Amino acid sequence: MEAQYQITSEAINTYAEQYSTPETPVLKALNETTVAEVRGAQMLSGALQGSFLSMISKLIRPKNILELGTYTGYSAICLAQGLQDGGQLHTIDTDDQLQTIRDKYWKEAGLEQTIVQHIGPAAEVLPQINTIFDLIFIDADKKNYGVYFDMLIDQVPVGACFIADNVLFHSEVVQPLENQSKSAKYMHEFNEKIKHSDRVEQVILPIRDGITLIRKIK
């Protein structure tokens, strides 16, 4: 099984994976390569979360997707499975050292012309992308989740969806503040921000490390 953060028990996570649509051969191979060769493999979305991302994308049928945080490219493949014909996924990451792995598996998945990689800080790259997005996946530096949300909320149409990862951050968000790590505090601040926004509706799901599905309503 892939190494990953998860807030559910190992038994529940395994059961959920067994009764969810399994990984494609390409995703399985990328999963195994990431765990075996790449530092920080716990950041990989993995089978269960990947199935969720793929399902949401297929339900929305976006024309364009934005991903903040590429890592080895696993979640990009999952999200791209729901794109409309001719659609594109733009993904941003500061680390270009993993591009060989990304390109290899994106090509094997037949997505080398569909996924567009951007390298650099997301706050600097975003203004350079002149695209309207229907679906946005935020899985980057936790401190700036709120910044990215503010940069994008006016740029997407009503009905567009955000997916934010790690929102329960190892279950630390329910601990007293003095016991929370910096990242947990950042995620709690983001959760508060979304809760009090009148422009969206949202639901937090206890999948992997916590996922919030957010829909723009005005």
Side-chain angles (χ1 to χ4, degrees):
M1 178 179 292
E2 68 279 353
Q4 59 172 252
Y5 296 131
Q6 61 190 52
I7 58 174
T8 54
S9 69
E10 186 68 27
I12 288 295
N13 191 74
T14 299
Y15 185 89
E17 286 187 1
Q18 289 175 344
Y19 287 90
S20 298
T21 300
E23 294 173 304
T24 64
V26 171
L27 286 171
K28 187 175 187 296
L30 175 52
N31 189 333
E32 293 171 349
T33 296
T34 302
V35 171
E37 302 179 9
V38 183
R39 180 173 56 87
Q42 73 279 356
M43 294 189 293
L44 186 79
S45 288
L48 185 60
Q49 180 173 312
S51 292
F52 172 79
L53 295 176
S54 176
M55 181 69 75
I56 292 296
S57 185
K58 290 172 181 176
L59 289 171
I60 294 173
R61 296 290 293 158
K63 179 67 175 176
N64 293 294
I65 300 172
L66 173 66
E67 177 184 54
L68 305 180
T70 315
Y71 192 44
T72 56
Y74 186 101
S75 53
I77 294 175
C78 296
L79 290 163
Q81 290 173 353
L83 280 167
Q84 296 179 28
D85 291 343
Q88 283 192 319
L89 183 148
H90 291 258
T91 183
I92 305 173
D93 203 284
T94 57
D95 187 355
D96 63 357
Q97 300 301 306
L98 298 174
Q99 200 59 47
T100 299
I101 292 176
R102 296 166 186 156
D103 289 341
K104 169 182 168 61
Y105 288 98
W106 290 345
K107 183 175 182 179
E108 288 187 14
L111 297 170
E112 69 272 24
Q113 302 300 318
T114 300
I115 300 175
V116 181
Q117 179 74 65
H118 304 266
I119 299 295
E124 297 177 11
V125 173
L126 281 173
Q128 304 172 28
I129 305 175
N130 185 26
T131 301
I132 296 175
F133 295 104
D134 313 295
L135 178 60
I136 297 169
F137 180 44
I138 306 177
D139 188 18
D141 50 314
K142 310 313 170 192
K143 182 178 181 179
N144 288 315
Y145 270 39
V147 173
Y148 302 143
F149 177 80
D150 288 340
M151 291 182 71
L152 292 163
I153 188 65
D154 288 329
Q155 308 303 318
V156 300
V158 170
C161 289
F162 294 75
I163 302 173
D165 196 13
N166 303 111
V167 296
L168 298 179
F169 207 79
H170 319 335
S171 301
E172 289 182 32
V173 292
V174 300
Q175 301 299 319
L177 281 176
E178 60 269 22
N179 295 337
Q180 294 181 18
S181 63
K182 285 185 178 180
S183 292
K185 290 175 182 176
Y186 293 144
M187 295 317 305
H188 180 67
E189 291 171 3
F190 175 74
N191 294 339
E192 285 282 336
K193 181 183 185 70
I194 299 303
K195 175 182 178 180
H196 294 290
S197 172
D198 65 354
R199 303 187 65 186
V200 299
E201 58 184 2
Q202 70 282 341
V203 57
I204 292 182
L205 303 170
I207 299 173
R208 187 175 177 264
D209 198 29
I211 297 176
T212 304
L213 182 60
I214 303 163
R215 179 175 176 270
K216 181 176 177 178
I217 58 175
K218 66 179 178 179

